[in-house]
Amino acid sequence: MLVLADPTLLRNALYIDGAWERPPGTDELPVTNPATGAELARLPQASREDTIEAIEAAQSAFPAWAALPARERSKLLKAWHDLIVANVDDLARILTAEQGKPLPEARGEILYGAAFFEWYAEEAKRVYGETIPAPKADQRLIVLRQPIGVCAAITPWNFPMAMIPRKAAPALAAGCTMVLKPASATPLSALALAELADRAGIPGGVFNVVPGRAGIVGDELATNPIVRKLTFTGSTEVGRELMAKASGTIKKISLELGGNAPVLVFDDADVGVAVQGALASKFRNMGQTCVCANRIYAQAGIYDEFVERFAEAVAALKVGDGFDESVQQGPLIDEAAVLKTEEHLRDAVARGARIVTGGGRHSLGGTYFQPTVVAGAIGDMLVAREETFGPLAPVFRFETEEEAVRMANDTEYGLAAYFFTRDNARIWRVGEALEFGVIGINTGITSFEGAPFGGLKASGIGREGSHLGIDEFLEIKYMCVAEICPVKVSEK
Ligand code: SIN
């Protein structure tokens, strides 16, 4: 049983128009702990009608929320931030219970998520417009930036406590209202955040949560004409489908999709720094992040040393139930994640890769997987082409910088890339040549609320975080005012 200091954070209902609803007769889905398989809650699944009700609540709430002075919206977002921080331990327990990540990592994610509310509480006050020098003396040209309206967000299971704030904070700061469909594996995090929104005083209808099936809730959010903006984080495959559906009503969209992140370790790198960076990037959340290292390329001169030291660090990672504070790697989210990691490993070995550490399911059973390193990876393996989204690190060998950059860019994805070098000229050369939206240099962790996050190519559209993130929720309006103060040039 999940024990919380404040058990009322554990909600199992829909949150619509500031009220908790358990519509009678709806089907329910169990939420389970991936570490134990234990059922944590049974959640009603929103129907199409429930989703429409939430969209209409967001529509009704929009005019008053948009009209609220930015300073007032800012105070409410700051209050939401403060409540998240004050409840970090309970929220971490909810997150670890439904997602599996170790408690210290869960706490880190919650504070990272809360930081988006703090950041955008400030940005709410800085949505500036523009004036443009007019072509005629009696005209004034003005550009307004106004909230787009009702927004829909569809969020993933890997960072529920960070990806929801990364979307909700800029949306609400801009003056938009939101309907959220959280991932079916991790709805309790979303509902706990909604409970805190309510306590913070966010008015009913401004933030609504409708857990449910993608084919029903997701479909309604993507096609409903009231929804003017759709923001999604998840796979490229689903992003493509949502983009096609949203095209019917010409919604503004932002998509944070899959990645296939390369890590390049050059001969001139500090190998110790590269090992720690690759470890942090690859094994964060058990390899289940869109920015996780997927392909590690080490240059010939340091290849053997890197593989040996990296494998040693990976072998030392402690695997177990995330509620044990000393654990560094929890279970994978579900059996499908294990099967994909196994498939990539089997394929790599069949094509000649050598297992250096790990090598399969963990003796703990369930969805635990051994953190694994394989050496001798080559370009035609599945691990080179597809995102594994699991704790398998393949190490490829390269000879020249040109070859490394070509191999790194040889993917349809363009979310994150990393490289390790002590050569300043190379930092600029390689940084500019890599076709990715986020680049870590001599580090495996780049995430920060004040920096823009997003991908190129099949990794998505738009940016989240930073001062740029709020633009995704704003419309530009140009006003041309004529006859404003006719200038009588002849009278001068
Ligand atoms: C993601 O994997 O989508 C998010 C990772 C991050 O924000 O660091």
Side-chain angles (χ1 to χ4, degrees):
M1 206 181 86
L2 183 55
V3 180
L4 302 177
D6 177 356
T8 61
L9 285 173
L10 204 56
R11 290 288 188 170
N12 63 350
L14 316 182
Y15 182 66
I16 300 176
D17 206 9
W20 295 99
E21 292 185 12
R22 282 189 71 90
T26 46
D27 60 342
E28 296 193 338
L29 263 193
V31 184
T32 53
N33 179 340
T36 60
E39 190 173 304
L40 299 165
R42 289 193 85 78
L43 260 194
Q45 301 298 292
S47 63
R48 198 171 284 279
E49 292 67 34
D50 298 325
T51 312
I52 293 170
E53 187 191 336
I55 292 170
E56 289 176 353
Q59 184 185 33
S60 303
F62 173 65
W65 181 250
L68 204 62
R71 173 193 278 226
E72 301 306 318
R73 286 202 303 273
S74 172
K75 280 185 197 151
L76 291 167
L77 293 177
K78 181 69 172 46
W80 197 354
H81 161 270
D82 293 348
L83 283 167
I84 294 171
V85 173
N87 287 281
V88 62
D89 288 326
D90 273 351
L91 295 176
R93 294 179 72 76
I94 293 173
L95 177 52
T96 295
E98 66 176 353
Q99 204 274 343
K101 69 179 62 180
L103 271 177
E105 214 174 316
R107 282 190 206 98
E109 177 185 334
I110 288 153
L111 297 178
Y112 171 46
F116 287 99
F117 285 114
E118 188 176 47
W119 175 273
Y120 284 106
E122 292 302 318
E123 284 303 297
K125 295 180 272 184
R126 301 191 179 105
V127 178
Y128 301 129
E130 272 179 43
T131 59
I132 298 174
K136 293 187 181 159
D138 70 340
Q139 288 185 339
R140 296 294 179 269
L141 312 187
I142 298 147
V143 177
L144 302 181
R145 289 162 79 218
Q146 294 184 306
I148 190 162
V150 174
C151 301
I154 303 180
T155 50
W157 51 262
N158 61 344
F159 286 92
M161 294 278 191
M163 297 302 100
I164 294 169
R166 193 157 81 181
K167 294 177 188 309
L172 270 55
C176 297
T177 54
M178 178 166 269
V179 180
L180 165 73
K181 179 197 141 10
S184 294
T186 55
L188 301 177
S189 295
L191 296 169
L193 289 175
E195 168 65 23
L196 295 177
D198 196 51
R199 292 185 199 174
I202 303 287
V206 169
F207 180 70
N208 307 274
V209 185
V210 278
R213 298 176 199 283
I216 297 173
V217 179
D219 188 75
E220 186 60 37
L221 294 177
T223 55
N224 191 302
I226 297 170
V227 174
R228 295 313 315 139
K229 157 89 192 184
L230 176 67
T231 168
F232 168 72
T233 296
S235 71
T236 297
E237 197 186 353
V238 175
R240 250 185 217 116
E241 279 173 30
L242 287 170
M243 191 170 173
K245 285 186 180 163
S247 69
T249 45
I250 317 286
K251 295 184 199 319
K252 187 161 171 160
I253 52 170
S254 24
L255 304 170
E256 301 292 351
L257 306 177
N260 179 3
V263 176
L264 313 180
V265 184
F266 289 97
D267 280 347
D268 59 25
D270 178 325
V271 176
V273 169
V275 164
Q276 287 312 313
L279 189 76
S281 167
K282 175 70 241 183
F283 293 97
R284 182 170 168 228
N285 199 16
M286 294 78 76
Q288 303 170 113
T289 87
C290 310
V291 291
C292 266
N294 203 55
R295 305 168 282 153
I296 302 176
Y297 298 93
Q299 199 162 8
I302 46 88
Y303 187 88
D304 292 338
E305 182 190 352
F306 175 80
V307 169
E308 190 186 328
R309 290 176 62 179
F310 180 53
E312 209 175 278
V314 172
L317 290 171
K318 184 170 175 194
V319 180
D321 189 321
F323 278 98
D324 172 346
E325 293 271 358
S326 65
V327 155
Q328 293 155 301
Q329 297 284 289
L332 299 193
I333 189 73
D334 57 19
E335 182 61 19
V338 176
L339 290 175
K340 185 167 189 198
T341 310
E342 269 185 332
E343 185 197 1
H344 281 198
L345 177 59
R346 212 173 21 248
D347 172 79
V349 171
R351 290 172 196 265
R354 171 174 63 88
I355 296 173
V356 190
T357 187
R361 288 176 186 254
H362 197 278
S363 56
L364 286 168
T367 59
Y368 288 102
F369 202 91
Q370 296 175 62
T372 298
V373 177
V374 297
I378 50 170
D380 60 354
M381 294 175 175
L382 281 178
V383 283
R385 298 197 307 273
E386 291 177 15
E387 191 174 31
T388 306
F389 233 66
L392 165 62
V395 191
F396 303 72
R397 182 191 295 266
F398 70 92
E399 301 287 338
T400 67
E401 179 184 304
E402 196 188 9
E403 181 194 7
V405 170
R406 185 175 38 73
M407 291 195 297
N409 285 340
D410 184 18
T411 170
E412 66 171 314
Y413 298 101
L415 186 53
Y418 307 85
F419 64 98
F420 292 84
T421 178
R422 281 180 286 194
D423 177 338
N424 276 333
R426 176 172 275 155
I427 287 178
W428 296 107
R429 221 171 33 240
V430 174
E432 289 176 11
L434 288 173
E435 296 162 359
F436 295 83
V438 176
I439 309 219
I441 300 156
N442 295 325
T443 178
I445 300 288
T446 57
S447 302
F448 164 54
E449 67 279 7
F453 183 97
L456 315 182
K457 296 158 51 179
S459 289
I461 298 174
R463 290 295 177 271
E464 294 186 333
S466 83
H467 71 101
L468 300 168
I470 202 162
D471 290 343
E472 304 287 338
F473 301 93
L474 293 166
E475 286 285 26
I476 303 286
K477 183 182 285 175
Y478 158 54
M479 298 207 306
C480 174
V481 188
E483 298 288 333
I484 187 159
C485 54
V487 178
K488 301 267 185 305
V489 178
S490 56
E491 287 172 12
K492 278 196 177 162

